[in-house]
Amino acid sequence: MTGVLLLLALQTTQIQDMGGFDQSSYMEKRLAGWKPAATYHCPTGVPQSDAQSLVGEWHVGGGFEGTTVSFGGPDAGVFPVTFRTGGCLGMWTLKRTATLKDGVVLLNKAVEKYCGEPYDRYFFVKKGEVLWLVPAGSTERGKELAEQCKYGSAATWFEYFSLQKKLIRVG
């Protein structure tokens, strides 16, 4: 218990010493110079282009981290986007806009999830009966991880990186 109180005191002091450090502003500056890859591998699945299926809240998380992306209804084909991510050491919120064409959700600026790599697009696909948002670069990263750790395949890493739509509870 003493260790927990000491850790809490240190974290509180650190935040005060930083003068109210704003991680969202820091990430905006950091991501401003990021450039996308020339090409990306598309994940398997049926590309989706139905705007209403995209609208809503999407989530991926595990352990002590998570990412939520909310898409508002489109206005002239442009969706307002709120990207939230965080973990035990920090969190940030980024505001974006997006367009949807041929199963690609293109953000106007890059985002980065907690302990992740920057990206500026999602592949919107359907596998079986499930809709997925797959961050660009995930297919490549899944293949790399499967080869490095000899565990699973790029297909099994798919769910680890991809977002699913949160269901709306009724009642």
Side-chain angles (χ1 to χ4, degrees):
M1 181 67 168
T2 303
V4 171
L5 291 175
L6 178 60
L7 180 59
L8 180 59
L10 288 172
Q11 287 177 339
T12 303
T13 303
Q14 183 182 11
I15 291 169
Q16 290 170 350
D17 288 347
M18 291 189 292
F21 180 71
D22 180 2
Q23 289 180 314
S24 299
S25 294
Y26 168 78
M27 288 305 294
E28 288 289 10
K29 289 175 189 169
R30 199 175 129 206
L31 291 166
W34 178 84
K35 301 288 184 224
T39 61
Y40 292 102
H41 290 112
C42 297
T44 59
V46 179
Q48 301 295 298
S49 291
D50 176 37
Q52 290 309 310
S53 295
L54 181 62
V55 172
E57 191 170 282
W58 297 76
H59 179 77
V60 64
F64 297 105
E65 64 156 306
T67 299
T68 300
V69 182
S70 300
F71 292 88
D75 181 12
V78 178
F79 298 81
V81 181
T82 302
F83 177 92
R84 290 184 185 92
T85 191
C88 56
L89 298 177
M91 64 182 70
W92 53 91
T93 300
L94 305 172
K95 296 290 188 173
R96 300 289 186 260
T97 60
T99 56
L100 170 63
K101 183 178 179 189
D102 300 328
V104 177
V105 179
L106 184 61
L107 302 170
N108 66 320
K109 295 190 281 186
V111 295
E112 183 177 327
K113 74 175 209 138
Y114 185 78
C115 293
E117 298 292 325
Y119 56 91
D120 68 349
R121 67 199 71 193
Y122 292 98
F123 296 101
F124 186 27
V125 298
K126 187 173 190 177
K127 283 187 158 197
E129 295 302 312
V130 181
L131 293 173
W132 296 92
L133 279 179
V134 184
S138 295
T139 303
E140 294 86 344
R141 183 71 178 132
K143 182 178 178 191
E144 177 185 311
L145 286 170
E147 290 170 358
Q148 283 177 355
C149 64
K150 306 289 187 243
Y151 177 74
S153 66
T156 58
W157 282 98
F158 175 88
E159 290 182 20
Y160 178 78
F161 293 111
S162 301
L163 293 90
Q164 275 192 297
K165 198 168 191 181
K166 280 190 169 183
L167 297 176
I168 298 171
R169 287 187 170 176
V170 178

